[in-house]
Amino acid sequence: MKAVIPAAGLGTRLLPMTKNMPKEMLPVVDKPAIQYVVEEAISSGINDIVIITGRGKEVIENHFDIAYELERILEERNDLEKLKEIKRIAELADIYYIRQKKALGLGHAIYVARKYVGNETFAVLLGDDIIFAKEPCIKQLLNIYKKFNTSIIAVQKVDKSLVSRYGIIDGEEIEKGIYKIKNLVEKPDIEEAPTNIAIMGRYIFTPTLFECIEKTPPGKNNEIQLTDALNILLKKEDIYAYEFEGKRYDIGDKFDWLRINIEIALQREEFREKMLKLMNELIR
Ligand code: G1P
């Protein structure tokens, strides 16, 4: 299966950090955010990846490419551990890049991958959503896909006050944590949200989605919304939502970005004691 990773967003919520730096390249402890997403696809058995980029996103390509000069310097210094890690990143997967020339929305960003994907079911992992789970989130969706053979969307329940940040689904729970979707709304106001079940940036789609995006007029924020295209898809095929196990962070949000750095640092042996000591001191 192929994976599409949209990473063309402007990152305006993170300004000024993202004035000249793609949000997907922001560090999470010691790796750029998008590397976690690429590694999730790979550890789920997906090695054929296309990243949708735009102007100013070239550093993403450089990150996953061979860095000859750096490799030579690390070799000269005999810094083999760093050399191994730098080489590993360049060998992770077959990664292709397609540019979305205009920021016309998430639906459109996925649409530009249609020729690369062809007539096959494919995975989508949003480049600014990081999910930590025992079993990678996209793997969990693939397991559900095997059972239903149709499009599957990752969801989690959120506090009712947060529904306007997400695509929200309405559906019937047919098994524990599995919903047959009836309707989807992109970023509704609290009063209009049918549920608090929010879409979380991991999807498995049948290729029928592409013809639905073609028919999708601009929606919320005047962008071609994936959620609107899914309502069109729903008229042709069933779509299921799966409440996955795992913790999700939105790198596009300043506080979430700070939070993930602290939480991940606390999980790393090399930082844990120092971090706890620092936090205790600060609280005191
Ligand atoms: C996008 C989708 C939204 C989804 C969210 C998850 O919104 O449009 O449906 O809930 O990702 O991160 P964005 O965060 O790109 O505005």
Side-chain angles (χ1 to χ4, degrees):
M1 188 176 283
K2 291 173 181 164
V4 178
I5 302 183
L10 298 175
T12 46
R13 279 185 293 161
L14 294 167
L15 284 169
M17 279 204 279
T18 45
K19 186 178 172 206
N20 200 28
M21 157 80 107
K23 62 178 165 182
E24 297 81 8
M25 285 301 289
L26 289 178
V28 173
V29 183
D30 55 2
K31 281 197 264 186
I34 195 165
Q35 191 179 327
Y36 290 88
V37 180
V38 167
E39 286 174 344
E40 180 187 326
I42 293 164
S43 58
S44 305
I46 305 175
N47 298 302
D48 197 341
I49 295 170
V50 64
I51 301 181
I52 311 301
T53 66
R55 266 180 299 285
K57 302 270 184 175
E58 301 78 9
V59 282
I60 298 178
E61 297 183 31
N62 294 342
H63 181 71
F64 293 107
D65 199 357
I66 297 171
Y68 287 108
E69 199 180 357
L70 191 58
E71 286 187 11
R72 191 175 49 78
I73 291 167
L74 291 172
E75 255 162 26
E76 277 169 17
R77 290 186 190 164
N78 207 23
D79 195 339
L80 299 180
E81 204 178 309
K82 288 208 186 86
L83 179 66
K84 196 174 152 202
E85 179 60 12
I86 293 301
K87 283 189 164 174
R88 187 186 73 86
I89 297 168
E91 289 161 2
L92 277 174
D94 289 334
I95 304 182
Y96 302 87
Y97 300 89
I98 302 178
R99 275 200 183 209
Q100 183 191 25
K101 290 182 194 155
K102 286 186 184 170
L104 294 180
L106 178 60
H108 180 261
I110 294 171
Y111 185 71
V112 300
R114 70 196 178 282
K115 288 184 188 153
Y116 168 83
V117 170
N119 198 25
E120 292 165 29
T121 297
F122 63 106
V124 172
L125 300 88
L126 300 192
D128 53 2
D129 277 20
I130 295 185
I131 297 175
F132 290 106
K134 277 197 210 95
E135 182 168 39
C137 181
I138 204 73
K139 182 80 201 308
Q140 294 180 45
L141 294 195
L142 283 169
N143 295 341
I144 302 294
Y145 170 75
K146 277 185 199 143
K147 186 165 170 189
F148 292 97
N149 245 298
T150 190
S151 298
I152 315 282
I153 297 177
V155 292
Q156 269 185 346
K157 289 189 179 130
V158 296
D159 194 273
K160 198 81 191 177
S161 63
L162 299 176
V163 289
S164 63
R165 286 200 202 170
Y166 299 96
I168 300 292
I169 67 135
D170 190 8
E172 182 198 343
E173 189 166 14
I174 52 157
E175 272 176 46
K176 197 177 175 313
I178 302 179
Y179 302 83
K180 188 164 187 285
I181 298 181
K182 285 194 217 139
N183 184 32
L184 311 95
V185 204
E186 181 66 8
K187 304 196 176 90
D189 293 335
I190 295 190
E191 311 80 56
E192 280 155 29
T195 67
N196 62 340
I197 307 171
I199 302 173
M200 290 299 183
R202 297 290 184 273
Y203 316 80
I204 306 289
F205 290 132
T206 62
T208 319
L209 176 69
F210 293 118
E211 60 197 67
C212 301
I213 299 175
E214 252 168 43
K215 294 185 191 126
T216 306
K220 193 102 190 171
N221 302 329
N222 210 22
E223 292 179 345
I224 297 172
Q225 295 291 351
L226 173 62
T227 307
D228 296 342
L230 290 174
N231 270 319
I232 300 177
L233 181 61
L234 207 48
K235 292 192 187 112
K236 298 172 189 266
E237 298 174 1
D238 289 343
I239 308 176
Y240 290 87
Y242 176 62
E243 231 175 290
F244 65 96
E245 173 279 319
K247 200 161 181 188
R248 175 253 182 201
Y249 301 85
D250 176 8
I251 295 303
D253 177 79
K254 274 188 193 171
F255 185 73
D256 247 22
W257 177 70
L258 290 170
R259 190 165 69 102
I260 188 174
N261 273 284
I262 294 169
E263 290 191 18
I264 298 307
L266 279 169
Q267 285 168 27
R268 292 266 295 265
E269 221 175 288
E270 55 185 309
F271 301 122
R272 188 176 161 76
E273 287 305 316
K274 286 188 212 160
M275 275 294 282
L276 284 172
K277 192 161 165 268
L278 171 67
M279 288 167 96
N280 272 320
E281 278 168 17
L282 291 175
I283 289 164
R284 244 186 283 126

